[in-house]
Amino acid sequence: VAPFAAAAHLANALRDFDADAALGSRNLAQVLGRDRAFALAWLLALGVGVAVGTALLVGGPIHPIGLVLGLAGLVAVAQGARGADALWTGMLVAAVCWTAAWALSSG
């Protein structure tokens, strides 16, 4: 959860990067800089998706709908490479998809 939470913080802060900079904010995105914060957020979110998917596959049979949801979450995060708003939206979609995939696998 922690890596995804860090990615979510960075993705959200990136959407307000210029306004935060003007106010003198020292959030993590400001400290890292726009490009590094974006890369870290994207890589963390994608890494969590790959790790969760791997854990679900190793843990036993996965429901076909869960597989589709897991892949949809990965695609949602991957398309976030287009920019901060796309990453934020993709992470929200991925969180819902991965939660549903997990729920299907544990039932």
Side-chain angles (χ1 to χ4, degrees):
V1 173
F4 198 76
H9 164 72
L10 289 170
N12 189 40
L14 283 165
R15 298 178 328 131
D16 303 321
F17 192 87
D18 293 330
D20 287 347
L23 293 171
S25 175
R26 295 296 296 161
N27 64 44
L28 184 57
Q30 294 294 323
V31 171
L32 293 173
R34 187 188 312 260
D35 292 340
R36 281 188 283 185
F38 182 82
L40 182 58
W42 190 77
L43 289 171
L44 282 171
L46 202 58
V48 167
V50 169
V52 167
T54 301
L56 289 173
L57 287 171
V58 169
I62 188 165
H63 193 283
I65 295 173
L67 183 60
V68 170
L69 288 168
L71 292 173
L74 283 174
V75 169
V77 170
Q79 66 78 39
R82 297 180 300 134
D85 286 330
L87 179 58
W88 176 249
T89 302
M91 288 183 66
L92 294 175
V93 169
V96 171
C97 288
W98 295 338
T99 300
W102 171 80
L104 287 169
S105 73
S106 63

